[in-house]
Amino acid sequence: MATSRIQDALASVPEEYYTHREDGSLVRQSSSAEAITAGLERLDVRPGMRVLEIGTGSGFSGALLGALVGEGGSVVSVDVVDDLVVRARDLHARRGADNIRVVTRDGTEGAPDHAPYDRIVAWASSDLLHRAWADQCVPGAALVVPVAIAPLPRANAIVRAHRTRDGRLAAERLWPGGYVEMHPEELTQWLVPPRGVHAQTADQEGNPWWVSGMWISGEDTAARARSLVDALAVGARTEGGALLGPEEPVADFHAYLYATAPEGLSMFGLGARGWAPGHASAGGAAAMLGGGRLLSTGDTTSGREVRRWVHQWRQADRPSAGTLSPVLEETGDGWLVRARVRTRR
């Protein structure tokens, strides 16, 4: 349930004014009002704050941020797509929202010319929490960012972190979710991740099939990956009933896999079915679909392994993204976000 201040902002900002073009078509980079509302609740924006938004999109989220910070605050919104920046800038100006500045630049760099910030929010998934963001925040500033929690494309969760007094970041909690990958250049398609895919092909309808795995490191494993994705595209089969019960959300099981990163864990692009994590073996592969059923090819080894993972998840009390503990690992460019399953007492 949105807070009263967010409800007021939603009531004051015309959504379709931003999310639809003059010809009535939807701006492709629009996020749903529900997703934006959830992000704003986690961000906890207050009047007078200075906010950096990474991913301008339609301009709707920036307009809501402008309403939340009020006349005494400011919003800087950055995007790599110049057309979106120009469009949002014009829409804000026509509404008289003069506390919002829209800039074309790579979001991983932040916007140092307008720093410091009390809040940073991103609507694109990042590989890590960038050091530039921490450097541009005041102590105590909060960040809400969709980020990879395993070294696989689409293995994302949303993290809330804050800047400590010594300039580092500390993670607070995770939620399930993610957006299109953050990228220094405009993406023209969203079906195949721009990074981390080891092999890909297309089916007869032109839908992309791809695979990524932490086990793929040399020419032998790369050849195996190509064979797997080819086999999935032409002969994938859906196995019997769902492995998960009606009270077992598949997103929770996925989050557990990203946190534990078991041997053989892979991410698959599955044509018109989207994408899903699963297991790859020498003889085949199996991916867990959104309904909890397996899509597989080859022998039964990978299917048995996914079933074993489900059993382990249940033994661990079915942890979800919200019950995992976020852990930051410092690198030269910032902090990787990983997750740990909380042990039972």
Side-chain angles (χ1 to χ4, degrees):
M1 186 70 178
T3 64
S4 59
R5 292 194 62 251
I6 294 177
Q7 288 177 336
D8 291 343
L10 288 166
S12 69
V13 176
E15 182 178 359
E16 288 197 6
Y17 170 81
Y18 284 100
T19 59
H20 288 72
R21 300 187 183 277
E22 292 184 357
D23 63 2
S25 63
L26 179 70
V27 177
R28 290 190 301 170
Q29 294 87 346
S30 298
S31 298
S32 70
E34 292 77 13
I36 293 172
T37 298
L40 295 179
E41 289 174 337
R42 296 159 184 165
L43 196 62
D44 186 25
V45 179
R46 302 170 193 174
M49 283 187 166
R50 299 155 294 183
V51 180
L52 171 63
E53 174 186 57
I54 300 170
T56 300
S58 70
F60 178 54
S61 56
L64 292 174
L65 287 167
L68 290 172
V69 301
E71 294 182 0
S74 63
V75 177
V76 177
S77 181
V78 301
D79 204 296
V80 297
V81 183
D82 190 57
D83 288 348
L84 293 177
V85 168
V86 172
R87 178 180 181 274
R89 187 183 294 150
D90 178 61
L91 293 177
H92 294 325
R94 280 195 261 161
R95 289 186 58 245
D98 56 5
N99 62 346
I100 309 170
R101 184 188 300 267
V102 194
V103 182
T104 303
R105 67 177 302 138
D106 181 357
T108 64
E109 302 170 352
D113 295 345
H114 308 289
Y117 303 104
D118 303 291
R119 296 286 189 269
I120 293 181
V121 62
W123 309 109
S125 296
S126 178
D127 289 342
L128 73 165
L129 297 176
H130 292 274
R131 191 174 302 277
W133 299 344
D135 292 343
Q136 293 168 37
C137 285
V138 299
L143 302 87
V144 174
V145 179
V147 66
I149 59 172
L152 291 170
R154 306 283 162 90
N156 298 325
I158 297 172
V159 65
R160 178 182 163 101
H162 66 269
R163 183 188 186 272
T164 63
R165 292 194 174 276
D166 64 0
R168 297 175 179 270
L169 293 182
E172 298 174 13
R173 66 159 297 177
L174 295 168
W175 293 269
Y179 295 90
V180 66
E181 288 81 3
M182 197 174 293
H183 198 260
E185 300 173 356
E186 179 180 359
L187 295 178
T188 58
Q189 60 82 35
W190 292 271
L191 299 178
V192 181
R195 296 177 296 275
V197 170
H198 293 103
Q200 69 178 86
T201 188
D203 57 27
Q204 292 182 341
E205 289 74 36
N207 299 308
W209 293 71
W210 51 266
V211 63
S212 175
M214 292 181 287
W215 49 272
I216 305 172
S217 59
E219 184 55 35
D220 289 346
T221 52
R224 179 176 140 208
R226 289 191 292 272
S227 296
L228 280 175
V229 76
D230 287 341
L232 281 167
V234 300
R237 61 182 182 274
T238 303
E239 298 190 12
L243 299 186
L244 304 181
E247 303 301 321
E248 295 180 324
V250 69
D252 292 351
F253 175 62
H254 288 175
Y256 168 78
L257 293 182
Y258 305 154
T260 56
E263 185 177 355
L265 179 64
S266 307
M267 191 68 73
F268 300 97
L270 302 172
R273 296 179 178 87
W275 52 268
H279 180 272
S281 67
M288 172 73 81
L289 299 174
R293 301 177 72 186
L294 284 182
L295 186 75
S296 63
T297 188
D299 63 28
T300 60
T301 302
S302 289
R304 290 199 304 270
E305 194 66 11
V306 174
R307 289 180 173 84
R308 188 174 71 85
W309 292 346
V310 171
H311 177 68
Q312 291 174 337
W313 175 61
R314 288 170 175 156
Q315 285 189 315
D317 286 342
R318 301 174 177 85
S320 64
T323 63
L324 298 173
S325 298
V327 178
L328 300 189
E329 299 177 2
E330 190 166 4
T331 71
D333 296 326
W335 294 265
L336 295 171
V337 180
R338 295 295 179 255
R340 291 178 183 165
V341 178
R342 296 174 183 172
T343 57
R344 287 181 288 181
R345 295 181 179 178

